[in-house]
Amino acid sequence: MQNTSTNSKKVSESKVVFTYGVMPTDLNTGGTLYGPRLFEIADHSSGTCAIRHTRGRVATISCDSLSFLKPINQGDFLTATTFISGIGNTSVEVFTKFTKEAPMTGETELAAFCFLTFKCKGTEPGKIPAIIGESLEEKKIIEGYEGRRQINKIRQQNNKDLKEILK
């Protein structure tokens, strides 16, 4: 459920844009960007975004989804564009879109995207500022938060049940 606080912020107030040149040490044995390296970038930029939005401490509590769409190659410029995509009672959902750019031609392609959730530590429940999308893309992604949240609740219950089995 979107927080009902009258306090709100525009996406641009906490958005993070990070560009990185993919190096040989970032590659897997197939010669493309190693998946955990992409996750590391997502977690770092998402955490920065969450802190900017809340101006408080946060902790990653879940990677709700990470979709790989195109291989990312050595030498590509990888841009992570990260913004708050949903506000819970004590947490924020953060979206990261990864585009790859061929450095010699400037051609860009969507390479991956993900949603991470962060617990807002020390924030009073219901007091996280609401988020206001500015572009059509931001608005559409923010509008989808409630549906993703319901899916995450099911996943969390399944994980709780699995945890009992794994003891």
Side-chain angles (χ1 to χ4, degrees):
M1 174 166 106
Q2 184 81 11
N3 139 351
T4 57
S5 168
T6 56
N7 187 19
S8 62
K9 292 184 177 181
K10 294 178 184 176
V11 163
S12 59
E13 293 179 66
S14 57
K15 182 183 261 185
V16 173
V17 179
F18 173 74
T19 301
Y20 178 78
V22 178
M23 305 300 284
T25 55
D26 298 318
L27 306 180
N28 59 28
T29 57
T32 59
L33 185 72
Y34 184 52
R37 179 69 177 115
L38 189 72
F39 179 78
E40 177 185 21
I41 293 167
D43 193 38
H44 183 84
S45 63
S46 296
T48 302
C49 180
I51 291 168
R52 278 185 177 168
H53 185 78
T54 64
R55 292 298 173 194
R57 296 175 327 160
V58 300
T60 311
I61 57 173
S62 70
C63 175
D64 306 324
S65 72
L66 175 54
S67 298
F68 298 92
L69 307 172
K70 297 279 185 180
I72 302 162
N73 302 301
Q74 179 179 332
D76 284 347
F77 294 145
L78 177 66
T79 299
T81 304
T82 304
F83 62 89
I84 301 296
S85 53
I87 305 295
N89 201 32
T90 60
S91 64
V92 293
E93 179 194 70
V94 186
F95 172 77
T96 300
K97 174 176 76 172
F98 291 99
T99 54
K100 68 177 194 168
E101 176 185 345
M104 297 304 133
T105 66
E107 182 182 343
T108 61
E109 288 184 277
L110 178 63
F113 62 88
C114 67
F115 292 92
L116 277 68
T117 299
F118 288 79
K119 179 76 168 176
C120 301
K121 299 178 157 271
T123 302
E124 193 177 324
K127 297 296 182 181
I128 301 167
I131 191 69
I132 301 169
E134 298 168 89
S135 72
L136 180 59
E137 178 181 89
E138 292 163 355
K139 290 174 184 178
K140 288 291 188 186
I141 290 169
I142 291 166
E143 284 173 13
Y145 172 64
E146 283 305 321
R148 291 187 303 274
R149 188 170 185 212
Q150 292 309 311
I151 291 166
N152 286 338
K153 284 183 178 186
I154 293 167
R155 183 180 43 78
Q156 289 166 0
Q157 183 59 53
N158 290 341
N159 287 348
K160 185 178 175 184
D161 296 344
L162 183 58
K163 183 179 167 188
E164 290 302 312
I165 295 168
L166 297 175
K167 280 187 177 182

